[in-house]
Amino acid sequence: PRTPVYAVISDRSRQFTVRPGDQILCDLDADKQPGDPVTFSQVLVLGGEGAVQVGKPYVEGATVVGEVVGVEKGEKLVAFRFHRRKNVRVKRGHRQHYTSVRIQEIRG
């Protein structure tokens, strides 16, 4: 049995291509503390060493294990509304909070 080199996982509404040692930003999960384990069971693709497994929609029995590193803020987004000659100027800023996860192992 060969160990997979990479995996494509689905976390809520986003997909990531991950390898062991990678660090990804997932949507905020306030229940998780740094050091807590995270298991991603929705694995779409496993690949490595010339062999690729594609799930329909998920690969059977495949999981990706990670560890929570902490909470991070994303890039600042500015929503600016403007109407010329109408004195309408509304500036709103937003920074999304993410849970940072370091990938430890790909099981498949």
Side-chain angles (χ1 to χ4, degrees):
R2 294 183 252 176
T3 58
V5 177
Y6 70 93
V8 177
I9 61 173
S10 175
D11 177 50
R12 300 182 186 129
S13 62
R14 300 171 67 194
Q15 295 178 2
F16 302 97
T17 301
V18 296
R19 291 173 172 76
D22 284 358
Q23 193 164 330
I24 60 172
L25 295 177
C26 302
D27 291 335
L28 179 68
D29 191 354
D31 300 336
K32 302 288 186 185
Q33 300 297 322
D36 288 353
V38 178
T39 303
F40 300 100
S41 59
Q42 295 182 344
V43 179
L44 303 168
V45 176
L46 283 177
E49 299 180 19
V52 176
Q53 282 183 286
V54 178
K56 297 180 183 179
Y58 305 117
V59 178
E60 289 285 324
T63 57
V64 174
V65 180
E67 177 186 9
V68 175
V69 177
V71 175
E72 292 186 20
K73 286 184 177 180
E75 292 289 316
K76 183 163 199 170
L77 302 176
V78 176
F80 188 71
R81 201 177 81 156
F82 171 82
H83 290 243
R84 64 184 190 154
R85 299 188 302 267
K86 305 294 183 196
N87 199 26
V88 175
R89 287 156 186 78
V90 179
K91 182 177 180 180
R92 291 193 186 111
H94 176 75
R95 287 188 79 180
Q96 185 75 30
H97 287 83
Y98 295 104
T99 300
S100 181
V101 176
R102 179 172 292 118
I103 304 300
Q104 294 177 322
E105 183 183 4
I106 299 174
R107 298 178 186 157

